[in-house]
Amino acid sequence: MQPSQILPVIPLRNAVLFPGVSFPIAAGRPGTLHAIETAMKSPEQLVFALTQKQDLEAVTPELLHTVGTIASIGPIQRGVGGARLLLQGKARGIAMRIQEKDGRLEAVVVEAAEMPPIDAHDTAFVALVKELKERSAELARKLGLPDEAVANVLADSDDPGRLADLVAGYIDIPTAERQQLLETLSVEDRVRRTLVLVQRQIDVLEAQEEIKSKVQEELGDRQ
């Protein structure tokens, strides 16, 4: 079993942080600001980002999922009402215990052990990863992202699990589905689920384009 560590908790509302993904947040709640200040005093400046089960202002341990992401704190911009900062996801973690301490939340965290594919060189698994890369590139083009930047990011993603995390971190899916992907420790299952979600978003965009085209045709006919 992985060794545990005690980390300040950053509750996330309607958002999920994935390992390998940078995520900007606005912190204004006293407990969150206190957690950030506590983390800043440690050498590694680590926090544990956990998604809330409900979008509520007051957060208790019972309102948080237990699977989250160990993250480091990036640049901070402080303001009158709070702070803006960048979280850099490092690894999946499981909260063995969450408790309140000195007006903030902290968790006893164990890094989650992922389940690698039985055979990473298996033809079916290799094809699955390739399909995820190709469909992700297609989705990026439809969203208007620069081809060169997308190609560079996908080319650098040699780890299938991290590739799925990276894609899941940026596609437009509900928070509940993001959390489900975060909790999927099987790399093969996560790649497959992410591929399904990417294809679903491509289908939605294509349907929107078709509707837009038909509306424009009707408007042209009426004029």
Side-chain angles (χ1 to χ4, degrees):
M1 187 174 181
Q2 297 280 358
S4 64
Q5 53 186 320
I6 298 176
L7 297 175
V9 171
I10 302 292
L12 302 177
R13 289 196 280 194
N14 299 317
V16 176
L17 175 65
F18 286 90
V21 175
S22 298
F23 189 75
I25 67 167
R29 291 181 284 190
T32 303
L33 293 171
H34 191 185
I36 293 168
E37 294 298 334
T38 301
M40 293 294 290
K41 295 175 184 176
S42 66
E44 295 181 313
Q45 299 185 345
L46 294 178
V47 295
F48 192 43
L50 284 174
T51 299
Q52 297 179 202
K53 296 176 182 177
Q54 296 175 308
D55 185 6
L56 300 175
E57 183 68 22
V59 185
T60 61
E62 296 75 24
L63 289 177
L64 295 170
H65 289 281
T66 54
V67 177
T69 300
I70 300 168
S72 61
I73 296 177
I76 297 181
Q77 294 180 337
R78 303 180 190 277
V80 177
R84 298 186 66 84
L85 64 150
L86 194 69
L87 295 180
Q88 175 63 50
K90 297 296 184 183
R92 278 174 173 75
I94 301 172
M96 308 305 290
R97 184 175 71 252
I98 307 172
Q99 61 186 14
E100 296 186 36
K101 181 179 180 180
D102 301 330
R104 60 175 172 81
L105 295 173
E106 70 174 19
V108 178
V109 183
V110 174
E111 189 170 326
E114 294 191 339
M115 297 167 54
I118 297 174
D119 181 5
H121 301 290
D122 178 70
T123 305
F125 181 69
V126 171
L128 181 66
V129 174
K130 183 180 179 182
E131 185 71 10
L132 176 58
K133 283 190 175 184
E134 291 179 354
R135 296 289 74 76
S136 298
E138 180 184 353
L139 176 59
R141 285 193 296 271
K142 287 184 176 297
L143 294 173
L145 300 179
D147 288 343
E148 185 176 353
V150 173
N152 289 337
V153 169
L154 294 178
D156 292 339
S157 303
D158 294 329
D159 184 321
R162 285 304 170 96
L163 169 65
D165 286 340
L166 182 64
V167 175
Y170 293 106
I171 57 177
D172 184 17
I173 57 177
T175 303
E177 290 186 339
R178 289 183 189 276
Q179 181 65 32
Q180 188 178 38
L181 284 175
L182 186 67
E183 295 177 3
T184 304
L185 299 183
S186 166
V187 171
E188 184 171 350
D189 286 348
R190 196 188 319 145
V191 170
R192 184 174 288 106
R193 289 184 180 186
T194 304
L195 174 58
V196 170
L197 293 170
V198 168
Q199 186 60 57
R200 188 176 73 185
Q201 191 168 350
I202 289 173
D203 292 343
V204 169
L205 291 174
E206 289 179 345
Q208 289 176 331
E209 290 171 1
E210 185 177 349
I211 291 171
K212 183 178 178 180
S213 177
K214 288 182 177 178
V215 169
Q216 288 177 338
E217 286 180 7
E218 289 182 8
L219 288 174
D221 292 340
R222 290 178 182 176
Q223 289 175 350

